[in-house]
């Protein structure tokens, strides 16, 4: 049953099966050389049907890239509250105007409502996840538990509850090419970023980034922040693999303090 708090401005849940990927109603017809919609229109792919048919966007740009960005933005917003500044740094190469325009466009398309991902947008995410090419980065589960009051435990009343969520996220991460783990370094609590099968000649699992802490609590506090952003692990892993550990450290520091207010008292 669809949760009542998820907005549905277009009444998608009344007309469609919400648990199925968006576009499931199309018909594959070899004679038509594409997917046939309910009005007889023919589309090259589900993604073309979404981008041009549903969103009324042009075909001038790379539709796959546009859909991957749409998936990334919706994926993040469906699992957590993404601040304005974090959105700019993570998805729009620090271009504020583009970020504001894109978020307004999502709202106008009824894919978000007051920054909450709508019922139809969640179905679109399922379709986009199912139609990704094999050569793109891994995708974290569309729904994952977090230490958040509306997705998982309410910040964890006890250390055991917090550990339950973090252990579950570590387990999910094992299926991803880039994953963060809590492993000690020289006897000190630490977090590592590990990349699997990296290198052209002899693909190996490599440690790309590390951070040590004074105690387990400090480590878990940082890991909880990282785990809350499981949807970004692959992007961060690619950043470290291509530009080094320092580039990732600088990026994480920038995000950690995004939208922090300056205390002038």
């Amino acid at each position: 049953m669809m949760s009542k708090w998820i907005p549905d401005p277009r009444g998608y849940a009344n007309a469609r099966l919400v648990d199925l990927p968006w576009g499931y109603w199309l018909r594959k017809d070899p004679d038509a050389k594409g997917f046939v919609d309910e009005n007889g229109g023919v589309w090259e792919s589900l993604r073309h049907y979404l981008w041009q048919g549903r969103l009324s966007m042009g075909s001038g740009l790379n539709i796959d890239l546009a859909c991957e960005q749409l998936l990334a933005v919706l994926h993040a917003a469906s699992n957590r509250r993404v601040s304005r500044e974090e959105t700019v740094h993570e998805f729009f190469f620090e271009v504020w105007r583009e970020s504001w325009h894109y978020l307004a466009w999502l709202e106008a398309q009824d894919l978000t409502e007051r920054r909450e991902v709508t019922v139809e947008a969640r179905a679109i995410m399922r379709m986009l996840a199912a139609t990704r090419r094999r050569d793109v980065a891994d995708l974290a589960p569309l729904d994952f538990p977090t230490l958040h009051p509306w997705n998982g435990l309410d910040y964890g009343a006890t250390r055991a509850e917090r550990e339950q969520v973090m252990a579950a996220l570590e387990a999910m991460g094992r299926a991803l090419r880039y994953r963060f783990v809590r492993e000690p370094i020289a006897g000190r609590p630490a977090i590592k970023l590990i990349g699997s099968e990296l290198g052209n000649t002899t693909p190996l699992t490599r440690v790309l980034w590390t951070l040590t802490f004074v105690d387990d609590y400090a480590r878990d506090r940082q890991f909880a922040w990282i785990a809350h952003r499981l949807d970004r692990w692959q992007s961060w892993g690619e950043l470290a693999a291509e530009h080094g550990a320092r580039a990732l450290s600088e990026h994480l520091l920038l995000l950690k303090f995004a939208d922090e207010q300056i205390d002038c008292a």
Side-chain angles (χ1 to χ4, degrees), residues 51-184:
W51 193 250
Q52 297 174 295
R54 165 63 176 85
L55 301 177
S56 300
M57 301 298 289
S59 58
L61 76 169
N62 188 313
I63 290 179
D64 266 336
L65 288 179
C67 285
E68 286 300 312
Q69 183 176 33
L70 176 61
L71 175 59
V73 174
L74 292 177
H75 192 190
S78 67
N79 285 287
R80 55 192 170 87
R81 292 290 185 186
V82 187
S83 69
R84 293 285 188 180
E85 190 171 339
E86 184 177 345
T87 298
V88 172
H89 294 311
E90 277 286 61
F91 304 110
F92 298 100
F93 305 101
E94 302 183 5
V95 180
W96 280 89
R97 182 177 297 178
E98 184 176 342
S99 171
W100 280 97
H101 181 272
Y102 198 90
L103 295 179
W105 175 73
L106 290 179
E107 192 91 6
Q109 290 286 358
D110 291 322
L111 300 185
T112 61
E113 185 175 291
R114 295 185 298 276
R115 304 195 70 185
E116 178 65 49
V117 177
T118 64
V119 172
E120 183 184 17
R122 291 169 188 270
I124 287 173
M125 287 169 51
R126 296 188 191 97
M127 182 275 282
L128 293 177
T131 57
R132 304 180 83 224
R133 300 196 318 268
R134 292 186 177 183
D135 59 345
V136 297
D138 289 349
L139 183 70
L142 294 182
D143 297 301
F144 54 86
T146 65
L147 293 171
H148 194 282
W150 52 287
N151 188 4
L153 298 174
D154 190 357
Y155 295 106
T158 66
R159 182 172 182 175
E161 288 182 340
R162 293 191 293 271
E163 177 61 29
Q164 175 187 343
V165 172
M166 288 189 283
L169 290 166
E170 279 183 308
M172 288 183 180
R174 295 189 192 105
L176 302 175
R177 187 177 191 186
Y178 298 101
R179 59 191 182 276
F180 289 89
V181 297
R182 292 172 296 168
E183 290 183 356

Side-chain angles (χ1 to χ4, degrees), residues 1-4 6 18-19:
M1 181 179 296
M2 181 62 59
S3 299
K4 293 181 179 179
I6 300 178
V18 296
D19 293 328

Side-chain angles (χ1 to χ4, degrees), residues 18 28 32 42 152 225 238:
V18 296
K28 179 64 174 174
V42 180
W225 184 88
E238 290 179 344

